[in-house]
Amino acid sequence: MKKLKFISLCLSVIALASCSKKDKAVVSVPQIQVGKPISNTAPLTTGNYKGTMLANQTYTVTGDITVNLGDTLLIQKGVKLNMENGANIFVNGTFISLGTSDAPITITDPRRSKTTGTSTVGTDSAYVGGWGGIYASNSAPLVVIKWTHLDFGGAALKAIPFSGTNAGLKAGNQYILYFENPTGVFILEDSWLYGSPDDATRFYGGFYNIMRNTMEKCGSNGGDGFNAKGSAVGNMCYNLIIGGATNGTKTASDNTTAGECQFTMYNNTYINDGFRNNGVFGARSGSVEIENNSRALVYNNLIVNCAFGVRIAGGPGGNKVYLADTTYSATSIIKQTATDYNFFYGDNAGNTYTPPQPAAITGQFVPTSVAQAVVTHPQAHGIPNMASFLGSTYTFGFVYDGTSLIGKNNPMFKNFPLPAPTLSWITQCSVDGYDFHLSAGSPAIGAGTTTVVAPITTGIPVNANFGSSGITPPGADMGCYQTNGTGNQH
């Protein structure tokens, strides 16, 4: 109880300081310490931990770390956690990882090294899972992760880490980040996720700000990037998602009676996603997926060489009902699912359809009913204007010929090969040394909207240490990098 009071006092003091009208300049935030320092003189074995991992120290973790209800584990800038034996971090209390741009935190498997260039599921350890993940239970009130590298996560859970799960967590799950408190807060900002064998994240309930992150090589032969379910509510914006197996961002109101899953998804950049899904082709997306009674606002996104564009699911598939909620509700945070002002680019680098269809990528800017019904409205703004291209008589889900769109509207990245060399290159792509900022003269500059959509702020605290560093509103340039310097800072 004393610790909770201490944290509440910190929140109050910082909140008062941040509200000062005189403090308009962005200043660096001093590192804070909660409880006693944690020593790095010996490996951290399986057990309960609380207190502070001190700045710029290296810790070796050989067993599962557990943060008990009422306790806080805080990691200061520059810390490196070498996670061995598939170790996890189980959170029933509060977990805070406060890296900075000049001294990020790294949580990794020390046996693994990042690779560049050609990368396949069978040869790259990024797709296997080294250490486990950060699993927060339905008692965890707050998880904050800023400027943190989460590399080579996703080792399979050996056992369910906590009882009474809301979402049916089970042994064998392979997520990097998991959160399920329906009244809790999860903040992931300015961080990196590199490699995972399945969904990189799985969220059930709570309030989220997922902004300005970079995600690459997530999902081996399936799996989504940012996957929100249950009654989760928040923002997924200004993220760079490259080389994902299936969806980059996804919502679905699974396993809940607490309300709909609702997210804004604006100003993300999706590159080469959706080509490693070994499930039923067309039953998943390759960029954005809205399904299972969830709602979303999808705007200002830059979607390049992805298997599918924004997919609003519209009917049953297999043993699961995928129907998204597209009705109007005056009482919902998001009144009605909508998507517009997005930027699409595609090469006809290959055709994975059976039977073959013309223009495999550009023919799915507006997803068609390959495996199940979809109800994606062709956008009336954005690039290209798909409403105009398809015409007023277009029927949801019908196959169309996108051949004339191949190679059109190159977004003009500062350093990235377009058109793509081959389809196999697309399926293996990662950040490497490429630069996805927009060059001067790019048609994506100024093509977005800053007035039609606004971020969700409900339930999301703004605080330098115990909340969001800043809920960035929509930017005028398509994608996660803005020419005015806002947006993704990587």
Side-chain angles (χ1 to χ4, degrees):
M1 181 61 73
K2 289 182 178 179
K3 183 177 296 297
L4 292 175
K5 289 181 179 178
F6 168 76
I7 293 174
S8 297
L9 177 60
C10 290
L11 284 168
S12 298
V13 171
I14 296 169
L16 287 172
S18 64
C19 289
S20 172
K21 294 182 179 180
K22 296 179 181 179
D23 298 330
K24 294 183 179 180
V26 176
V27 295
S28 60
V29 178
Q31 289 285 290
I32 63 170
Q33 180 174 321
V34 173
K36 295 180 179 180
I38 297 174
S39 173
N40 69 336
T41 57
L44 306 185
T45 58
T46 300
N48 302 322
Y49 291 87
K50 61 181 178 179
T52 300
M53 293 183 179
L54 298 179
N56 303 313
Q57 302 298 310
T58 297
Y59 293 79
T60 297
V61 181
T62 60
D64 295 338
I65 290 175
T66 298
V67 183
N68 284 333
L69 177 64
D71 289 343
T72 297
L73 176 62
L74 185 143
I75 306 175
Q76 292 183 339
K77 67 179 183 179
V79 166
K80 183 176 184 180
L81 269 64
N82 287 322
M83 309 287 286
E84 300 181 352
N85 305 320
N88 297 276
I89 300 173
F90 299 139
V91 183
N92 299 305
T94 296
F95 177 83
I96 310 288
S97 180
L98 294 180
T100 62
S101 59
D102 59 342
I105 290 163
T106 298
I107 305 177
T108 190
D109 182 335
R111 302 170 299 171
R112 311 291 173 89
S113 298
K114 294 182 180 180
T115 61
T116 59
T118 300
S119 171
T120 61
V121 170
T123 62
D124 194 329
S125 63
Y127 302 112
V128 177
W131 66 285
I134 300 171
Y135 288 82
S137 74
N138 57 17
S139 70
L142 179 66
V143 169
V144 175
I145 301 172
K146 300 180 182 181
W147 292 101
T148 299
H149 288 273
L150 301 161
D151 300 337
F152 301 105
L157 280 175
K158 298 179 180 66
I160 299 175
F162 29 73
S163 62
T165 59
N166 289 329
L169 187 67
K170 59 183 181 293
N173 286 153
Q174 295 181 281
Y175 313 131
I176 302 174
L177 298 172
Y178 177 92
F179 189 85
E180 65 163 43
N181 187 345
T183 61
V185 174
F186 186 98
I187 305 295
L188 177 68
E189 295 177 347
D190 303 301
S191 293
W192 302 259
L193 292 88
Y194 181 93
S196 72
D198 197 353
D199 292 356
T201 72
R202 186 67 74 93
F203 304 131
Y204 290 90
F207 302 93
Y208 297 79
N209 200 54
I210 299 171
M211 281 197 172
R212 306 180 298 274
N213 304 291
T214 296
M215 175 183 286
E216 55 184 315
K217 294 185 179 180
C218 287
S220 55
N221 291 313
D224 302 312
F226 296 117
N227 187 351
K229 295 177 176 290
S231 57
V233 171
N235 307 296
M236 301 177 183
C237 307
Y238 291 103
N239 302 293
L240 170 63
I241 304 171
I242 181 170
T246 314
N247 308 290
T249 56
K250 174 183 173 181
T251 59
S253 298
D254 296 0
N255 293 5
T256 183
T257 57
E260 290 179 312
C261 183
Q262 303 180 72
F263 273 80
T264 68
M265 302 176 185
Y266 57 78
N267 287 103
N268 297 298
T269 298
Y270 305 82
I271 309 288
N272 298 4
D273 296 314
F275 294 98
R276 289 198 309 278
N277 176 26
N278 63 358
V280 176
F281 189 76
R284 294 289 190 276
S285 183
S287 55
V288 178
E289 172 97 353
I290 314 302
E291 64 176 48
N292 279 34
N293 300 314
S294 64
R295 296 172 181 266
L297 298 174
V298 187
Y299 287 79
N300 295 358
N301 297 292
L302 180 52
I303 300 173
V304 173
N305 276 340
C306 291
F308 291 86
V310 180
R311 183 175 180 274
I312 313 298
N319 296 320
K320 187 176 182 182
V321 176
Y322 285 93
L323 185 65
D325 193 340
T326 59
T327 63
Y328 179 84
S329 171
T331 59
S332 297
I333 295 174
I334 293 178
K335 309 304 181 190
Q336 189 165 21
T337 291
T339 173
D340 205 349
Y341 290 92
N342 297 297
F343 188 111
F344 296 95
Y345 171 89
D347 300 316
N348 194 24
N351 200 317
T352 56
Y353 293 89
T354 302
Q357 297 179 24
I361 295 174
T362 56
Q364 293 296 332
F365 285 172
V366 177
T368 61
S369 300
V370 176
Q372 63 188 99
V374 294
V375 290
T376 308
H377 285 271
Q379 63 180 25
H381 304 88
I383 299 173
N385 182 325
M386 294 304 295
S388 175
F389 179 82
L390 294 173
S392 59
T393 60
Y394 177 74
T395 303
F396 287 133
F398 275 30
V399 172
Y400 63 89
D401 188 349
T403 302
S404 63
L405 300 176
I406 295 172
K408 301 296 184 182
N409 306 309
N410 190 319
M412 298 173 57
F413 293 126
K414 286 192 174 180
N415 175 25
F416 186 69
L418 290 176
T422 62
L423 178 62
S424 62
W425 182 86
I426 288 177
T427 66
Q428 300 164 4
C429 195
S430 52
V431 172
D432 296 350
Y434 298 120
D435 186 346
F436 297 98
H437 288 80
L438 301 173
S439 297
S442 166
I445 294 175
T449 177
T450 60
T451 59
V452 175
V453 62
I456 290 174
T457 58
T458 301
I460 303 171
V462 177
N463 185 279
N465 298 307
F466 299 101
S468 169
S469 293
I471 304 175
T472 308
D477 303 329
M478 298 289 198
C480 66
Y481 296 108
Q482 300 294 295
T483 52
N484 65 3
T486 60
N488 196 304
Q489 300 299 298
H490 297 160

